[in-house]
Amino acid sequence: MGRGSLFYALNVDDDEAKELSWSKSVDIISGTANGLSYMHHDCFPPIVHKDVTSNNTLLNSELHVVVSNFGIARLLDPDSSNQTLQVGTYGYFAPELAHTMAVTEKCDIYSFGVVALKTLMGGTQES
């Protein structure tokens, strides 16, 4: 993608970070939400990404979003418990996963919230 990851735009390249106005940040968040909505509501069975992060949110040259890295994505089978041992990137996964280990679309929504906050705040350094 032309602009790389959202993480890069927020934390590494100062020129990119300065270009992210409030309205562009809202557009990025909206694009990410649309991608997750497609995966959760328009795919059958629904796809849970499991690792929605600023590193997996890519930006093209016009700052349009592509949600990437489906390497650990999971197709939700409504008849299974959807339990897992791998839950995504530290700091982005929902805290209840430590107790239940049940993967649902809600796990992606929690991660999306972290990405949205980081985008609106202008990013923070991650480990």
Side-chain angles (χ1 to χ4, degrees), residues 16-28:
E16 289 283 335
K18 290 176 187 172
E19 188 176 337
L20 293 178
S21 65
W22 180 264
S23 63
K24 288 181 183 179
S25 294
V26 170
D27 288 344
I28 289 169

Side-chain angles (χ1 to χ4, degrees), residues 93-111:
F93 59 86
E96 63 267 14
L97 284 176
H99 299 288
T100 65
M101 298 303 286
V103 177
T104 68
E105 294 98 327
K106 293 176 184 178
C107 301
D108 283 350
I109 301 308
Y110 181 92
S111 300

